[in-house]
Structure formats: C-alpha cells, structure tokens
Amino acid sequence: MTLARRLNRFLDRLRAPEAFEAAARPGSANDLDGLRGHKYCLLVSFRQSGEPVPTPVWFGLERDRAYINTRERNAKLKRIRRDPHVRVGPCSLRGKPLGPLAEGSARVVPPADEERAETALRSNYGLIRRIYYSSFGSRGDPTVYVEVAATSVSRSSTTPATPPRPSA
C-alpha cells in the first residue's frame, strides 16, 4: 500500500462526526459561492444503497464550477460515475462543515478540459499542492479531474435518516 493510501485511510478514521450528519441532510445552498475563501470542500457521493459518503477534498473554483482531482481507482470516483448526484460545501481538513452544502451534479472532465481544472486547483493552492504532488504523486495510479455544478434538484429521499459511522 502506498504512503498516500495509508495517509488517506488514517484521515478517514479522523473524519469529523459532523461530516456524516451534514451528508445525510439535503443541501440548502443554491450555488457554490460558499466555497470561496476555503481550502477544503466536503464532497458527498452516494453508494448504490443511497448511503451518503462524505469526503473532504481540495478543490478549485472557476466561475460557477468546482473542480477536484482524484485517483482513477478511488471509490468516490466509482460512485460518481454510477450516480453523478453529489453534495458540496466548505469544510475543515477533517470534514467538519463550515457552511451549508449545495446539491450538485458531478462529471469526469474530458482530457480537452483538464487544463482549466488544473488551473482552478493551482489558483487555490499554489506551492503547497505542487509540493504534495511531488512527494505523494500518482505513482502509477492515474488521476482524473471531476467537475461539480450546483443543481436545484434535491434527492433527499435517497438518503438514510441516520448517518452512518465509519468502522474503526
């Protein structure tokens, strides 16, 4: 297991309980403006069962879209490809929500648009992101960009009433 995967598993165990609570509620923000000025975004994707899975991620904003970068084999990408419905909002490193979440639709960015996504991410992180990726880079596991656009569609009926807790 790579160092980056070990770090991700460690951070999963540290996830703030409030992330699971917020993930189980419908989004109340109308757009992604609440992400401005923040370094972490709580990205909520959904399992086939409808169970929400909150993940704090780095993001970049360009106009009315948020962009994230993730590894090709990550579960969140598999969930997004199966169901593009997501929720997003500002959060702390551990996923504690710092504002309301917005309902959204996610898609994998085609190669022709990857530069726009990279520019948005670079503008939010600069040197810190370059250092992180030079230290923990993909190491053979390809990365992809995901674009998120806010929607007004609420799909709260697909989420369970009680938020799930991670296993230790």
Side-chain angles (χ1 to χ4, degrees):
M1 179 183 307
T2 67
L3 181 58
R5 287 189 189 271
R6 287 182 185 164
L7 178 61
N8 282 339
R9 286 187 182 202
F10 173 73
L11 292 173
D12 282 346
R13 290 190 182 114
L14 294 178
R15 186 87 16 97
E18 297 91 344
F20 295 92
E21 295 163 6
R25 292 190 303 266
S28 60
N30 294 323
D31 54 34
L32 304 180
D33 286 342
L35 294 173
R36 296 198 190 286
H38 292 276
K39 293 293 183 189
Y40 296 95
C41 166
L42 188 63
L43 174 70
V44 180
S45 54
F46 296 88
R47 291 191 171 121
Q48 239 175 334
S49 66
E51 178 184 342
V53 181
T55 308
V57 295
W58 283 355
F59 70 97
L61 288 174
E62 160 129 0
R63 291 182 239 148
D64 59 346
R65 306 275 195 241
Y67 294 93
I68 66 165
N69 184 245
T70 189
R71 297 185 193 290
E72 178 73 36
R73 294 186 296 191
N74 278 1
K76 69 178 155 280
L77 188 59
K78 292 176 187 173
R79 290 188 296 269
I80 286 169
R81 282 186 166 139
R82 186 190 48 73
D83 180 4
H85 172 238
V86 296
R87 292 186 183 122
V88 292
C91 71
S92 69
L93 168 68
R94 292 184 53 216
K96 180 179 180 180
L98 300 175
L101 302 184
E103 299 290 332
S105 180
R107 72 176 183 104
V108 174
V109 174
D113 295 335
E114 286 181 352
E115 187 56 39
R116 180 175 355 131
E118 177 59 30
T119 300
L121 281 156
R122 205 177 294 146
S123 71
N124 205 21
Y125 300 99
L127 182 62
I128 292 171
R129 185 167 179 272
R130 284 194 297 268
I131 291 170
Y132 176 84
Y133 276 97
S134 68
S135 300
F136 299 111
S138 64
R139 309 273 192 242
D141 190 3
T143 61
V144 297
Y145 294 92
V146 175
E147 177 186 80
V148 177
T151 62
S152 59
V153 178
S154 174
R155 295 187 29 198
S156 60
S157 62
T158 65
T159 60
T162 306
R165 292 293 304 148
S167 56

